[in-house]
Amino acid sequence: MGRMALDRRRFVMRAAAALAAQALPPLDDTALRRLASSFAGTLITPGAPDYEGARRVFNRAFDKHPALIARCGNTADVARALAFAREQGLPVAVRGGGHNRAGLSVCDGGVVIDLASLGGVTVDVDKQRARAGAGALTVHVDVATQKFGLATPLAGCPTVGIAGLTLGGGEGFLMTKFGAACDNLVSARLITANGREIEVSDRAHPDLFWAIRGGGGNFGIATSLEFRLHALTDVLAGTLAYPPGRIEALLEEFARLIAHAPDDLGLVGQVLPTDNGARFQMLVCHAGDPTQGNELLRPWRALGPAEDKIRTASWLEINSTMNPAAPAAHFQTNVFVRDFAKAIPILVNATANAPPNTRVFMVPFYGAITRVRPTDTAFALRQVGCELDLMGRWDETRKDKERVIEWVTALRDALRPLSSGAYVNQLGETSDALVRTAYGPNYARLASLKKKYDPDNVFRSNQNIGA
Ligand SMILES: Cc1cc2nc3c(=O)[nH]c(=O)nc-3n(C[C@H](O)[C@H](O)[C@H](O)COP(=O)(O)OP(=O)(O)OC[C@H]3O[C@@H](n4cnc5c(N)ncnc54)[C@H](O)[C@@H]3O)c2cc1C
C-alpha cells in the first residue's frame, strides 16, 4: 500500500477517534472537580493532549475511549478513582502494564484506573523478599532483585506488568524451577470493591489470597505485591533456530525433550511461517550447572540449527532480551493439551500453510509448576502437558486481519478435542464457557468468593467470574 493511502487511513482513523471521544457523555463536572481536588496523580479526559496516548494498550486491535483515565499517584488515589466510578455508575477497567491480550484493561465510556506510576521495588535481602508497586513491569523487578543475585519467576517478556501477570497465574522461563509467579506471591495489598484497603496473605484473608493467585482482577485492585526471591545469577540461555522444513521431526524431538526435562530447564517452542515453509525455534533457559545444560542441548545442536544464540549471561540480561515484543494488533488464544505428541499432526498440518505473521508458541508444563495441586491456588493449570498459544498479527493496513483470525480460530477448533484447560492471561477472547474451562475445579469456589467480595461485579472488565 502506498504512503498516501496509509496517511489517508491514519487521518480517517484519527478523525474517527476524535468523533468517538466527542460522542462520550460529559462527566459530572462538580464530581470531577471534587475528585481532582484530592487526587495526587493525573486525571486525563477526552480532549486532553495526552488522552490519545494514554488510552492505548499493547494490543492495538483495541481502540477504546474511556471517559476518564485516572493515572493514580498513590494508593489513596486508587480508592478515590474507584469511589468516583461507582458513584457515577461508570464501568471500571484496571491497568498495570497494559498487556492484556483481550484489551480488557481499557473500557469504552468508563474509568481506567491506571497504576503505571505506582512502580517502585524494594528488596529485603535477609528475608529474600521483594515488594513491588502494582505498576511495576517484569523488567523492573528483575533489575531490582538481580543487584543482589536474586530473582523471582515473572513473565518471559520484560514489559509485561507484574500485577496482571501474577493475579492470572504467571508463566515464564523459571516456572519449572521455582513455580508460577502466583506461587511466589507472599502477600498483596488490595483495594476491594467497597473501597477498603486490606493486606491479603496466608494469614490475612486467606480465602482472598487463594482467589487472587490465579483469579485475575476479579476480586479487587492490587496496589502492591510481595514476592519470594531465589538465588540466581547466571543462566545458560538463548535461542536455537532451525531452517524451514522438518517440522514434524523437530516437534517429535521437542515432545521427547519435554517428557524428561529437568526442573532447571525452562523451554518454549515456536513454529513460525516463512516463504519456504514453517520453521521451528526453541527458546532455552537453563538455570543450573551449565555443563549439564550444554549436555542436554547436545542432541539439539547435532540437529543442525541455522542459528545458535545460546550463551551464559545474567538472568537479567537474558530475561530482558530473549523475548521482547513491540505493541501490535493481534488475536491470540490458547489451549492446554496434556499429551503434546497427539497435537503434532494438527500443528504440522496447520503450520504448513500458515499466513505470514502467525505463530504457535508451545509452553511445556513440568517441574515445580506442576507439583502444586490444582485446588491449592485459583490457578488450575497444574498438569504435565503443554500450553499452545496461537497468534496472528496484522498491521495498520489490516490487510491480513481476517485471514490470520480465521487461521487462529480454525487451529484452536482443531485442537479443542485434545484440550483440557486454558490460561486466562493468554486469551484474546472471552466467554463464560472459556472462563469455566480455565478455572476447572476451582470455578465454583471462585464464583462464591466473587459473590462475597464483589457482589455488584464492579470488577468485570476481565476474564469475568460469575458473570
Ligand atoms: C507481549 C506479551 C508477552 C506476554 N508474555 C507472557 C509471559 O511470558 N507469561 C505470562 O504468563 N503471560 C504473558 N503475557 C500475558 C500477560 O500475563 C497478561 O496479558 C497480563 O494480563 C498482563 O498484565 P499487565 O499488567 O501487563 O496487563 P494489563 O492489561 O494492565 O492488565 C490486565 C488485566 O489484569 C488485571 N489487572 C492488572 N493490574 C491489576 C491490579 N493491580 N489489580 C487488579 N487487577 C489488575 C485487570 O483485570 C486487567 O484487565 C504476555 C502478553 C503479551 C502481550
Side-chain angles (χ1 to χ4, degrees):
M1 172 163 304
R3 201 187 146 72
M4 283 238 313
L6 202 59
D7 285 348
R8 201 174 316 122
R9 183 182 292 276
R10 271 200 201 111
F11 173 78
V12 170
M13 281 165 73
R14 278 191 197 137
L19 276 176
Q22 275 169 23
L24 291 174
L27 290 172
D28 178 330
D29 210 30
T30 316
L32 189 60
R33 260 188 275 124
R34 206 178 319 119
L35 173 64
S37 69
S38 60
F39 202 77
T42 317
L43 297 172
I44 305 168
T45 46
D50 41 358
Y51 178 78
E52 281 306 304
R55 71 183 181 82
R56 295 237 174 275
V57 284
F58 182 96
N59 188 349
R60 297 291 202 247
F62 297 96
D63 185 32
K64 297 185 191 171
H65 292 81
L68 174 68
I69 299 163
R71 189 162 282 162
C72 301
N74 55 36
T75 55
D77 278 357
V78 180
R80 287 186 192 112
L82 178 63
F84 173 83
R86 293 205 69 173
E87 280 156 23
Q88 299 298 309
L90 294 168
V92 172
V94 179
R95 184 167 66 189
H99 276 48
N100 188 271
R101 300 279 187 194
L104 293 167
S105 53
V106 67
C107 56
D108 275 323
V111 177
V112 172
I113 300 182
D114 182 326
L115 306 164
S117 305
L118 301 186
V121 185
T122 53
V123 177
D124 185 330
V125 179
D126 293 335
K127 289 193 180 143
Q128 303 226 329
R129 300 275 163 88
R131 185 170 277 280
L137 308 180
T138 291
V139 65
H140 299 146
V141 177
D142 284 345
V143 166
T145 55
Q146 282 281 272
K147 280 186 192 142
F148 305 99
L150 297 167
T152 197
L154 296 170
C157 167
T159 49
V160 170
I162 60 153
L165 174 88
T166 307
L167 299 178
E171 303 167 7
F173 294 108
L174 299 177
M175 71 187 200
T176 52
K177 189 173 171 83
F178 300 130
C182 69
D183 299 335
N184 289 274
L185 188 69
V186 177
S187 71
R189 293 203 67 84
L190 205 67
I191 293 186
T192 55
N194 59 16
R196 265 204 323 141
E197 189 179 2
I198 57 172
E199 175 95 1
V200 295
S201 71
D202 259 342
R203 289 181 305 278
H205 304 281
D207 56 347
L208 259 185
F209 188 52
W210 176 86
I212 65 163
R213 285 175 293 162
N218 275 285
F219 299 94
I221 306 176
T223 54
S224 70
L225 299 97
E226 186 190 8
F227 294 97
R228 192 173 299 116
L229 302 178
H230 309 268
L232 186 67
T233 50
D234 283 357
V235 292
L236 176 77
T239 310
L240 288 170
Y242 293 84
R246 293 194 292 152
I247 287 298
E248 188 166 7
L250 288 163
L251 290 181
E252 279 165 2
E253 197 62 38
F254 187 65
R256 280 190 286 276
L257 175 65
I258 66 180
H260 302 288
D263 292 10
D264 282 347
L265 187 64
L267 292 166
V268 170
Q270 203 171 183
V271 183
L272 300 157
T274 76
D275 289 344
N276 302 316
R279 70 185 176 91
F280 180 75
Q281 194 172 305
M282 191 164 75
L283 313 183
V284 178
C285 177
H286 186 264
D289 176 355
T291 313
Q292 278 169 19
N294 276 315
E295 192 54 31
L296 287 162
L297 296 176
R298 205 154 49 89
W300 283 88
R301 286 181 159 137
L303 289 169
E307 219 177 67
D308 180 347
K309 291 196 171 165
I310 309 273
R311 68 207 194 278
T312 299
S314 73
W315 163 247
L316 171 63
E317 185 188 328
I318 292 296
N319 209 36
S320 311
T321 55
M322 191 136 81
N323 193 27
H330 64 278
F331 173 62
Q332 170 161 317
T333 190
N334 71 86
V335 295
F336 185 87
V337 296
R338 287 192 192 201
D339 188 350
F340 174 67
K342 284 197 180 139
I344 293 176
I346 299 169
L347 295 174
V348 170
N349 187 37
T351 56
N353 295 305
N357 293 323
T358 53
R359 67 140 215 227
V360 178
F361 218 58
M362 290 155 285
V363 185
F365 273 53
Y366 51 84
I369 193 166
T370 61
R371 286 196 290 270
V372 178
R373 281 176 306 177
T375 51
D376 281 355
T377 63
F379 179 68
L381 280 185
R382 301 298 187 173
Q383 302 86 4
V384 170
C386 197
E387 178 187 311
L388 303 172
D389 296 327
L390 321 171
M391 200 251 261
R393 277 183 288 127
W394 56 92
D395 64 16
E396 279 183 317
T397 67
R398 295 163 176 251
K399 187 165 57 79
D400 292 324
K401 182 178 172 187
E402 274 168 34
R403 195 164 154 230
V404 301
I405 292 178
E406 231 169 72
W407 182 84
V408 170
T409 46
L411 179 52
R412 174 202 65 193
D413 294 346
L415 290 165
R416 276 248 163 98
L418 301 180
S419 165
S420 63
Y423 177 33
V424 285
N425 275 357
Q426 294 285 23
L427 287 172
E429 55 184 337
T430 186
S431 70
D432 185 45
L434 259 180
V435 176
R436 284 172 189 270
T437 299
Y439 290 114
N442 294 331
Y443 185 83
R445 185 173 173 196
L446 282 165
S448 106
L449 288 167
K450 178 76 176 172
K451 274 208 186 88
K452 178 174 169 190
Y453 286 103
D454 183 17
D456 300 326
N457 202 8
V458 174
F459 303 118
R460 63 172 161 268
S461 191
N462 47 37
Q463 294 293 342
N464 201 221
I465 293 163

